Amino acid sequence: MSIKNDKINEECGIFGGFCKQGNIAPYIKCGLLKLQHRGQEAAGVCCGDNKQNVVKNSGLVNFALDNSVLKNLEGNFGIGHVRYSTFGDDRKENIQPLKVTYMGEDVSLAHNGNVSQAKNIREKFERIGEVFLSSSDSEVILKRLIFSLKKKPSLWTFEEVAKCLEDNFSLGAYCILLYLPNRVMAFRDTFGYRPLMFANCSEGYFVASEDVAFYGLDVNEIIEIMPAQGIEITKDGYEIKTFSKDNNICQCVFEQIYFSSSASNIFSQNVYNTRIKLGEMLFKSEDNNFSADVAIPVMDSGLGCAIGYSQASKIPFHLGLVRNNWMERSFIQPKQEKRSLNVKQKFIPIKSVIQGKRVVLIDDSLVRGTTSKEIIKMLWQCGAKEVHMRSVSPKIVNTCIWGVDIPTKEELISYKKTDEQIAKQIGATSVKFLPQEALLDVFTGNVWCTKCFKEDENEIFLP
Ligand code: 5GP
Ligand code: MG
C-alpha cells in the first residue's frame, strides 16, 4: 500500500471461500502463494466458524503464514489477502484481512482495489468522534458497512451490503471478500477495474483475484464474477448475483500487461497469449528498416512480450538478463537511490549474449524509467553495440487513482517527452512504445480503462 497525494493505493490479491471437509486455512495459503505476484509486502488469513481468528504478518506468504501458526487455525470458512509493497505506511494494523467484532459477532474483510472516496468518508467519521485503527481505506469500508446496517453481521444480506457499497463507494475500484458468520460474500465494483474469479471445486467453493490461484484444486467449473456482480457462499452452495444495472465497464489494461500471472485468464483473455500478441504488434509498429541481433526480455512480465516480438521479427530471443527471484520489487521503494539499487541487484546480465550485439530490450512498461535506465547501463557495460528499448505499453502520461501505483505526472518518464528525449534520458540508442491504436487491436471491445495513456483526461469527480 502506498500513500501519495492523499490517495491510498492498494494492488493486492485475495482468496477465500468455503471448504467442504477440513480446515480452509491451508487452501487459502496455497491460493495466496499463487497470488504472491500481486503483493509481497504482507499476507494474512482469517478463518473460523463462529469466532474468527486472524494470522497476519509482514513478508512473503511462506514466511508470514508459517505452517506452525496456521495449523491452529480451524474452520471451514475464511478469507486471505496478500498486500502490495509499501511506501510510507507499513503498520501491522494495515495488513488484511481486517477483523472487527460487532454486537458479539465477528466480521472481516479483504479488499483489492482503491476506493477514492475513503478519505472523505474517514474525515466525516472522525468529525463525529469515530476512531480508526489503521490508515487503510479497507477499514473505512468496514466501518461504513457497520454504520449503515447497524445489526448483527449474521443478519446482513447480500443486497444490503451491495447497496451500501454502491451508495458510498460507487466511484471506487474494489473487489471485496467479506467473511460473516458461516458465510463468505464477494463483490466486484460496477467498473470491474480489478478481476475476480470463482471456482466450484470438489474441495469447496473459492473466490480469488485470478484463476491461477485455483490450480491444483479439483475444479468442476471456473466462472468470472462480472462487474456489478457478487457471490454468496454458504455450506449449502453458492449464488452469483448481479447488484447493479450500471454498465460502465472499465477494466485496467495493466492487469494484462503487468499485474497478473501469465497463467491466468483475466477478463476472458489468457495473459500469456495477450503478452505474445502485444510483442508481435510492437514489432509490426517498427520502421521497415529496423533490425537487431538479439531480443532480450525484462523479466517477468516482459517475457511473453519479448517472445512475441522475437517470433514476429525473427530476431533471436535470448535471456540476456537473469532475474534474481529472491529480490523484492523495485517499483515502489520510497527513494530513487533505493529503487535504482534494487534494479541493479535484481538483474544480472549474461555478457556473452550481449557483447558486440545490437540489442532490443523489451519490457511491459516504462513508468519512471528506473528499470530501463539501470538495465541499459548494464548492457553498455557488457559491450552492447546498440541498445533499443521497447515497451508494449503505450506511453504512460497520466496518474491512476484506481490502484495502479503510478506517480505524479512530472515523475513519469514519458510525460511531455518525445521518444528521442526519453532515449537520451535512459541512455538508449532508440526508444519506442506500442501505439495506442495497436494496443486496442489486442484489447478488443470498449471495456478498458486507458486513462493513464491520455495526458489530459481528468480524474473522475470525487465527492
Ligand atoms: P519504471 O522502472 O520505469 O519506473 O517502472 C516500470 C517497470 O516496473 C516495469 O518493468 C514493470 O514491470 C514494473 N512495475 C512494477 N510495478 C508496476 C506498476 O504498478 N505499474 C507498472 N506499469 N509497472 C510496474
Ligand atoms: Mg518489470
Side-chain angles (χ1 to χ4, degrees):
M1 189 205 72
S2 68
I3 301 179
K4 291 188 195 113
N5 308 333
D6 295 329
K7 286 173 221 136
I8 300 178
N9 298 322
E10 302 240 11
E11 184 51 55
C12 309
I14 52 180
F15 187 97
F18 169 72
C19 184
K20 289 178 193 165
Q21 270 179 350
N23 296 330
I24 194 172
Y27 290 91
I28 297 180
K29 179 173 177 182
C30 258
L32 293 180
L33 276 168
K34 297 191 190 85
L35 296 173
Q36 184 82 82
H37 55 279
R38 297 186 71 86
Q40 295 128 43
E41 186 208 339
V45 170
C46 179
C47 315
D49 286 319
N50 287 325
K51 273 271 156 251
Q52 301 181 4
N53 295 302
V54 186
V55 173
K56 50 184 178 179
N57 280 302
S58 300
L60 300 176
V61 173
N62 261 333
F63 177 78
L65 306 177
D66 188 84
N67 284 343
S68 59
V69 184
L70 225 58
K71 73 174 191 286
N72 302 323
L73 273 188
E74 293 189 344
N76 304 89
F77 288 94
I79 59 175
H81 190 268
V82 283
R83 188 155 161 248
Y84 196 40
S85 66
T86 188
F87 172 159
D89 204 335
D90 58 358
R91 280 183 288 165
K92 189 164 179 186
E93 301 88 87
N94 283 340
I95 304 176
Q96 299 190 35
L98 296 175
K99 185 198 99 173
V100 294
T101 306
Y102 182 61
M103 295 189 175
E105 290 183 355
D106 293 340
V107 50
S108 57
L109 178 136
H111 169 219
N112 170 207
N114 187 18
V115 287
S116 40
Q117 303 99 314
K119 183 171 175 271
N120 299 8
I121 297 178
R122 177 186 292 267
E123 282 168 6
K124 277 188 200 150
F125 274 127
E126 284 174 345
R127 278 199 290 276
I128 58 166
E130 282 295 320
V131 291
F132 287 86
L133 298 175
S134 74
S135 59
S136 160
D137 51 353
S138 312
E139 190 184 355
V140 179
I141 303 175
L142 202 47
K143 184 147 282 193
R144 188 61 262 174
L145 285 171
I146 287 168
F147 252 77
S148 296
L149 302 175
K150 288 201 177 70
K151 58 183 173 184
K152 281 173 184 267
S154 54
L155 302 176
W156 297 6
T157 66
F158 176 92
E159 289 72 21
E160 286 168 339
V161 175
K163 183 170 186 315
C164 175
L165 292 175
E166 271 312 275
D167 286 350
N168 293 281
F169 304 105
S170 60
L171 294 182
Y174 60 79
C175 284
I176 286 172
L177 288 180
L178 196 63
Y179 172 24
L180 305 153
N182 297 312
R183 263 178 319 158
V184 165
M185 293 182 194
F187 302 86
R188 182 171 174 201
D189 66 76
T190 58
F191 301 103
Y193 289 104
R194 304 282 148 233
L196 193 63
M197 305 298 287
F198 166 72
N200 175 2
C201 308
S202 35
E203 296 90 340
Y205 313 117
F206 303 101
V207 185
S209 300
E210 295 175 35
D211 58 348
V212 71
F214 306 134
Y215 187 74
L217 293 167
D218 184 21
V219 175
N220 303 320
E221 191 180 15
I222 292 181
I223 305 170
E224 179 174 359
I225 308 285
M226 298 306 284
Q229 280 191 339
I231 185 167
E232 185 166 10
I233 298 172
T234 65
K235 66 178 175 32
D236 301 319
Y238 63 90
E239 196 178 345
I240 295 175
K241 304 179 192 185
T242 301
F243 60 80
S244 166
K245 289 197 176 50
D246 279 359
N247 193 9
N248 313 314
I249 301 180
C250 196
Q251 304 170 119
C252 173
V253 285
F254 275 95
E255 284 291 342
Q256 289 276 354
I257 298 175
Y258 168 69
F259 285 120
S260 302
S261 159
S262 293
S264 283
N265 297 288
I266 296 293
F267 312 141
S268 312
Q269 284 183 218
N270 173 256
V271 173
Y272 181 68
N273 288 343
T274 304
R275 291 180 185 164
I276 298 244
K277 273 192 219 148
L278 289 169
E280 288 169 359
M281 298 298 276
L282 185 60
F283 177 71
K284 286 181 189 150
S285 70
E286 294 280 9
D287 299 338
N288 285 338
N289 54 1
F290 177 77
S291 71
D293 304 314
V294 59
I296 294 179
V298 180
M299 301 282 275
D300 288 325
S301 32
L303 177 64
C305 313
I307 292 175
Y309 188 95
S310 163
Q311 283 171 353
S313 63
K314 308 275 185 292
I315 297 171
F317 169 90
H318 274 287
L319 208 52
L321 294 158
V322 173
R323 189 196 188 289
N324 181 349
N325 283 326
W326 315 108
M327 282 299 299
E328 296 158 11
R329 285 168 113 173
S330 50
F331 190 75
I332 309 177
Q333 299 290 342
K335 295 232 166 66
Q336 185 58 33
E337 309 87 75
K338 184 111 193 276
R339 281 196 292 267
S340 301
L341 179 69
N342 207 297
V343 175
K344 277 185 225 153
Q345 290 172 338
K346 201 161 91 175
F347 296 101
I348 304 153
I350 305 175
K351 196 169 175 181
S352 59
V353 173
I354 299 156
Q355 198 163 26
K357 303 277 174 46
R358 294 170 302 163
V359 174
V360 54
L361 184 67
I362 297 131
D363 202 355
D364 60 274
S365 57
L366 271 74
V367 182
R368 292 185 181 86
T370 315
T371 310
S372 44
K373 199 171 180 176
E374 291 303 328
I375 289 178
I376 288 165
K377 230 187 270 170
M378 288 177 202
L379 298 181
W380 289 126
Q381 281 163 359
C382 288
K385 205 156 100 192
E386 294 172 11
V387 181
H388 302 277
M389 182 73 221
R390 297 293 181 264
S391 159
V392 300
S393 156
K395 282 183 175 172
I396 298 175
V397 291
N398 208 340
T399 53
C400 173
I401 58 167
W402 306 124
V404 178
D405 245 312
I406 293 180
T408 56
K409 282 186 189 178
E410 290 66 30
E411 280 176 88
L412 297 168
I413 185 98
S414 302
Y415 183 61
K416 294 207 185 296
K417 279 202 214 87
T418 61
D419 291 356
E420 292 70 30
Q421 287 169 320
I422 298 168
K424 197 160 174 225
Q425 198 162 333
I426 61 173
T429 314
S430 75
V431 171
K432 280 231 166 82
F433 298 83
L434 186 68
Q436 263 187 71
E437 317 79 70
L439 182 93
L440 293 174
D441 277 347
V442 177
F443 295 105
T444 47
N446 190 21
V447 290
W448 304 98
C449 180
T450 52
K451 177 181 163 281
C452 56
F453 307 137
K454 296 178 183 129
E455 190 180 303
D456 297 323
E457 202 147 296
N458 290 326
E459 290 187 348
I460 289 179
F461 167 73
L462 303 179

